Amino acid sequence: MEEEQLRALLCDLDALKQRPDDPASIDRMRERVVAMMNPAAGAASRSKIKDMSAEVVDSNPYSRLMALQRMGVVENYERIRDYSAAIVGIGGVGSVAAEMLTRCGIGRLLLYDYDTVELANMNRLFFRPEQVGMTKTDAAVQTLSGINPDVVLESYSLNITTVKGFETFLASLKARSSHGRSTGVDLVLSCVDNYEARMVVNQACNELGQTWMESGVSEDAVSGHIQLLVPGETACFACAPPLVVASGVDERTLKREGVCAASLPTTMGVVAGLLVQNALKYLLNFGQVSPYLGYNSLKDYFPTMEMRPNPQCSNPACVQRQREYMESKPARDAAAKAKMEAEASTANECPVHLDNEWNISIVDDEDTPTSSIRGTSDILPEGLVRELPAADSYAEPAAPVSSSAIDDDLEELQRQLDALNSS
Amino acid sequence: MEEEQLRALLCDLDALKQRPDDPASIDRMRERVVAMMNPAAGAASRSKIKDMSAEVVDSNPYSRLMALQRMGVVENYERIRDYSAAIVGIGGVGSVAAEMLTRCGIGRLLLYDYDTVELANMNRLFFRPEQVGMTKTDAAVQTLSGINPDVVLESYSLNITTVKGFETFLASLKARSSHGRSTGVDLVLSCVDNYEARMVVNQACNELGQTWMESGVSEDAVSGHIQLLVPGETACFACAPPLVVASGVDERTLKREGVCAASLPTTMGVVAGLLVQNALKYLLNFGQVSPYLGYNSLKDYFPTMEMRPNPQCSNPACVQRQREYMESKPARDAAAKAKMEAEASTANECPVHLDNEWNISIVDDEDTPTSSIRGTSDILPEGLVRELPAADSYAEPAAPVSSSAIDDDLEELQRQLDALNSS
């Protein structure tokens, strides 16, 4: 409203410059200024919208998203309003991820961070200099609520690595859990910048059986990754710890006084985009959800891989989730079979793309072994050897292992970690 | 603050009514109004910074960027202040690209768009609902000047596909050109959403010998690409036109009433990030500049390729630039040789990473044929066959070609286009 008034004022001033002798226009401007001085005239960017519409008009903020449905990419886009996501760490990646999900019209967004906005954050997207000193969660809610008032925003300014913070974190995830759901959120996105916080998110999600996605950017700002973690089904964050911890070095001793990591808005923007894209594919059930995707910006190289859970994982909750996953295999197989049969009977009834005038089809690229977590088979791609027991063989009671066998496993794991870290 | 501004505005208006012929007072009022429209320009934001500092304090907006230098990624980050970039199309990709370059502290940014902000744009990053109705360039300047007042912003609200718009576009690129430079900008980023505008950018850059980067996102919102175009050295946009035009169909007939393309903040954010990352690598001379990088989000697949110029290109300026490129080859070779020798003599004097405690090294990935445009050799990667004459063989006068030979070339080109479009 005020914005409009100011714009009108600019037009009036421009007109006045062309025709200086127009006292009536000066009166009109005066009225505008007085109206703006009345505080009642403030606020109002856009009002809430009850139902997402696919109508193609300039005033519809959802038209370009609902078009995904018309174009056959997403079966039911509007379902995004039923989903809740939690974002832990509202920094260079988390803030952009939050903005993307907000603009996509997600139902509810839970934001966690203990930090405040600093000028030193201005080399990444999202925060603005006038927000310096605000908590990152408050500043995020301020910006996001203005962008899309339809999204329910919950701000948690706390440190999840403290005892109290962890309790609040767990409680907030569990709130609104209903029949058949252990938590009230559909996905947790970890956008933190340190190992300790990642292990805490890992612990919470293992305890709750909560699917989550991890993201990270290297200290030299030129590479990053995203990863999907499904407790019991994929490796958890403790199943294959990074080298720095495997060697027993405390992370805090690595941080020296007066030394800061580099960061770039580009790398963080790309990682946030890949992360939220993967989240949308997971929530709205389209495309292939990537189990792991790396980004090496110096070479524009994007490695992918899949990581099985480690039956000897040090996290008891992970081992418990692995056991449950194995026990539920027969039910899962039956459900998958029923779904496939149902789909087969309705196949060929409607084409995926209604208007594919150019007969464009998506060709499989056999050089790129990206595979979906959903409906993944146990057949490994060519050239891969299973180093850990396959999911199927785990259900059988494990034979007691000798101490030297465990040592062998650890050495093998260390070798794999070394290989991963040097690539 | 705003209250004060409004009262001052009232005084100005009263004074103007007494003395109507005072253009200076109108300019002063205009400034006041623009300041009020930009909340960041108020008390908080930040003042200009004369020199980029590497000091690690919360109040330094450049500390994380200057760290790139300390970590050995970029040799001289501060040089970014000497560079100018033009961004054509301030939509879902262009606006985010502009924000990234602004936060990186680029010297000067020229912004071109003829459109206004609509609520229908809110499903992509950057613009806010209260900017609806403003021109995209004005809204961008409003936001960007608040984020980083050190960047010189030039806003051009015009349509480059009109005769007058094209003239202004060319003139603005040429302004500030100095000795040894045909234009005043170091790079043009094309972020437009249609074929016609891309051909206009292509024409301007071919005429000026201006290096540029093209970007695009598919109408179904789930894939995109970026491409580097160096007139005379790489394929120009007319060297290999997309299928829709090669088939002779007018693009405008494809747009139907009431139908809009889909778009996602994720895909556009990723494409903007890849584009500006490539621009930073090009300007600041680090990593490998990608000649072409695709992004298929459904499979998280990122194809790369290189495209040579077409000696039979329909664009005369392109053919002229190709000729000049061939003629300057001996000088270029000599310069490259001298540079290599100079580098060899200083090699091993200082390590790239000063503190590489973990002995992390970057391993070449032979499966990923990304190669730099700079210092590219004429040896093709395994599995590729040269369909067009190599750069070296072009200097020799071409034998007259018969009409059927040209037809064969076109058919071959069409086959290649078909293959590209179906992948």
Side-chain angles (χ1 to χ4, degrees), chain B residues 230-247:
Chain B
V230 186
E233 189 176 341
T234 70
C236 89
F237 195 71
C239 282
L243 184 62
V244 55
V245 176
S247 322

Side-chain angles (χ1 to χ4, degrees), chain A residues 352-353 355-363, chain B residues 218 220 223 243-244 417-418 420-423:
Chain A
V352 176
H353 293 267
D355 41 7
N356 187 0
E357 192 166 353
W358 302 102
N359 289 317
I360 292 170
S361 64
I362 292 161
V363 174
Chain B
S218 65
D220 65 0
S223 50
L243 184 62
V244 55
L417 285 169
D418 289 349
L420 283 176
N421 275 289
S422 68
S423 68

Side-chain angles (χ1 to χ4, degrees), chain B residues 342-387:
Chain B
E343 278 171 358
S345 69
T346 57
N348 295 327
E349 277 174 20
C350 61
V352 176
H353 294 266
L354 286 172
D355 40 8
N356 187 359
E357 193 168 351
W358 301 104
N359 289 316
I360 293 169
S361 63
I362 292 162
V363 175
D364 262 297
D365 190 282
E366 293 175 47
D367 294 337
T368 313
T370 44
S371 71
S372 169
I373 281 295
R374 296 168 189 206
T376 183
S377 87
D378 283 330
I379 301 156
L380 287 179
E382 203 183 16
L384 288 189
V385 181
R386 209 183 298 280
E387 289 289 352

